[in-house]
Every structure is written in structure tokens, then in C-alpha cells.
Amino acid sequence: MTTVFLLVTAVLAALIAGLFYAYSCSVVPGLGKLSDVEYLKSMQSINREILNPVFFMSFMGTAVLLPVTTFLFRGEQPAFILLLLACAAYLIGVFGVTVVGNVPLNDMLDKFDISGSTAEAIQEMRNNFENRWNLLNNVRTAFSVISIILVVCACLWNKQAS
């Protein structure tokens, strides 16, 4: 049963790492080429649409299953240490950064009335949002990749130990 938890955790962690990676190397550069109004409207739309059951299942599922799987592997060295490090990387660098950094920026942007704002206010909003959000997304990307690498290492170690 621990192997099933490990494999499901690996799949969910990989989905999140892939989402942030793809976003960083495709969506961010594409959005960066848009005008201020187009950029803000696009980000508002994306930030609203990401709040769906499929995303929450993988994002929250990883946040729940990583600690559970880590607990299940206690005493099995080095898989436990690898999972513990993956858990810390995900909970701090992905989940924590999202909750403390990206979500407040998304909420700020969601409340911004683009159609009722001046060109200067729109440019200021983009300037206050884009670089900070992208930096935080790059942090999430790096930590999600670190997390999945560690989980894969735990999977490989678990296979060798079997």
C-alpha cells in the first residue's frame, strides 16, 4: 500500500511541476508580449479559471499526500529522507509561496477594474503585479521540480529495496 501512495504522490507532484514549468516557459513569455490591458485581462481570466477541481486535486492532493507518504516511509532510509526533503520543498516553496505570494497578488488583480481605470493606473497595476508574480512563479517552478526529483529518487530507492 505504501508503494501505491508513493506512486500517486509522484504523479500529482509531477503534474504540478509540469504545470508550473510549462507556464514559466510558454505562457509567461506569451503574456509578456501583450499590451497592458490585454495582459491584465488575460491574467484575470487565467487566475479565475485555474480555480477548478482538477487543479485543486493535484495542488492540494500533493500537499496532503506528500506528508502522508513521508509518514508511511518513516524508518525506511533513505526513502524517508528523500520524501521529507520533497515534502519540505513542496510545502514551503510551492504551497507556501502560492498562498503567501501568488494568491494575494491574484486577489489584488481580481479586484482591479480595468475598464474603469486610466492608462496610467493600468500600467501601474501591471508594473506592481507582473514582475513579482513571475518571480514567485519561478520560485514555485524550481521547488516543484526539486520536489518531484526527490520523489522520483524515493521511488527508485523503494524499487531497489523491494
Side-chain angles (χ1 to χ4, degrees), residues 36-46 48 114-115:
D36 293 342
V37 169
E38 292 171 322
Y39 173 84
L40 294 178
K41 284 183 177 181
S42 296
M43 283 301 292
Q44 281 180 337
S45 180
I46 290 167
R48 290 173 184 150
I114 297 169
S115 62

Side-chain angles (χ1 to χ4, degrees), residues 1-161:
M1 187 56 130
T2 57
T3 301
V4 171
F5 271 89
L6 182 58
L7 291 175
V8 172
T9 300
V11 168
L12 292 179
L15 288 171
I16 290 299
L19 171 77
F20 290 138
Y21 172 78
Y23 203 91
S24 289
C25 64
S26 64
V27 177
V28 167
L31 290 175
K33 295 183 182 341
L34 299 175
S35 71
D36 293 342
V37 169
E38 292 171 322
Y39 173 84
L40 294 178
K41 284 183 177 181
S42 296
M43 283 301 292
Q44 281 180 337
S45 180
I46 290 167
N47 290 338
R48 290 173 184 150
E49 293 304 315
I50 195 82
L51 303 176
N52 65 68
V54 175
F55 171 74
F56 282 123
M57 181 185 71
S58 54
F59 184 72
M60 299 300 290
T62 305
V64 170
L65 282 180
L66 255 173
V68 168
T69 303
T70 302
F71 177 79
L72 292 174
F73 276 82
R74 69 195 181 283
E76 295 185 37
Q77 306 298 337
F80 172 76
I81 299 300
L82 293 166
L83 289 168
L84 188 62
L85 292 170
C87 189
Y90 188 85
L91 292 177
I92 295 167
V94 179
F95 190 81
V97 167
T98 300
V99 170
V100 174
N102 293 90
V103 169
L105 287 171
N106 293 347
D107 291 344
M108 175 185 74
L109 180 59
D110 193 54
K111 294 174 187 163
F112 185 70
D113 177 19
I114 297 169
S115 62
S117 296
T118 65
E120 294 79 24
I122 290 169
Q123 184 180 30
E124 183 180 339
M125 173 55 79
R126 182 176 184 167
N127 290 340
N128 290 333
F129 179 87
E130 185 175 21
N131 289 336
R132 286 176 40 204
W133 197 95
N134 289 344
L135 173 65
L136 293 169
N137 192 64
N138 288 337
V139 169
R140 297 187 303 184
T141 301
F143 277 95
S144 63
V145 169
I146 289 167
S147 183
I148 187 56
I149 289 169
L150 291 166
V151 172
V152 167
C153 288
C155 287
L156 294 172
W157 185 265
N158 185 53
K159 173 121 175 72
Q160 287 178 342

